[in-house]
Amino acid sequence: MLYFVMRTVVAPTMRALWRPTVQGRENIPRTGGVILASNHRSFIDSFLIPMTAPRPVYFLAKSDYFTGNGVKGALNRAWFTGMGMIPVERDDSRAAVDSLDTALEVLRRGDAFGIYPEGTRSRDGRLYRGRTGAAYLALTAKVPVVPVGLQGTQNVQPVGESRLHLAPMTIRFGPPMEFADRFAGVPAGKARRQVTDEIMAAIAALSGQEEAGVYNEHPPST
């Protein structure tokens, strides 16, 4: 019900306000498990992708977004649940493993899963080296990867700001990439690294970003 409201009321309203340019929606398979692997410029990215995709897309979100009290907490839970966000713990030693297990469940039931191989938002506009989680999922679940390139979302909601601005946005969905058959018999670590690099090259072509060549680290907490 919440998802239906988001798709039929909230998403059209957001599209009318921001009028994002959308290219390549036809590249997203309408059925079956698929990974949407995107660059990451803004918190709003996880709403723009489901808002413009032709089918539900599930993202992982930290559990803190689902645990608030009172009216605000209830509204937050409704919003994130309606947008297809799945709560996960991120502060324990098993967080990464549990996140991958949750993602595999989404893919194996035939749904679309969104992921940012960079791991966190780019603060300087460059595209950082991809971590191998998306490749692990693609090779394990044997599902295609649709690369996604976002432009302009950093101007709608800059990192560190809660306020939304009206600014042009473009989202490009690239052709699906198949990997499972190509890497049969290749050592797992080598296969994941090569698949990751191919995914990031496709994202770079869609986003137009300069490639940093290094990993993007979370800023130190203060």
Side-chain angles (χ1 to χ4, degrees), residues 105-157:
E105 290 178 12
V106 173
L107 295 169
R108 284 170 172 161
R109 71 184 186 219
D111 287 324
F113 181 77
I115 190 171
Y116 304 113
E118 292 172 277
T120 189
R121 288 168 286 180
S122 172
R123 294 173 178 268
D124 61 11
R126 295 185 297 168
L127 183 69
Y128 283 81
R129 195 177 192 208
R131 301 179 189 275
T132 59
Y136 166 80
L137 294 173
L139 293 169
T140 303
K142 295 180 171 55
V143 296
V145 177
V146 171
V148 183
L150 301 174
Q151 294 178 328
T153 58
Q154 74 279 5
N155 299 320
V156 175
Q157 188 178 23

Side-chain angles (χ1 to χ4, degrees), residues 80-94:
F80 285 102
T81 301
M83 290 302 298
M85 303 297 173
I86 302 172
V88 292
E89 297 288 345
R90 291 188 175 180
D91 297 327
D92 61 67
S93 58
R94 283 193 50 83

Side-chain angles (χ1 to χ4, degrees), residues 29 31-36 107 113 138 141-146 176-179:
T31 60
V34 62
I35 297 167
L36 274 62
L107 295 169
F113 181 77
K142 295 180 171 55
V143 296
V145 177
V146 171
M177 307 171 73
E178 301 276 359
F179 298 107

Side-chain angles (χ1 to χ4, degrees), residues 50-62:
M51 183 177 74
T52 54
R55 58 183 292 192
V57 181
Y58 295 89
F59 280 88
L60 302 182
K62 60 182 180 180

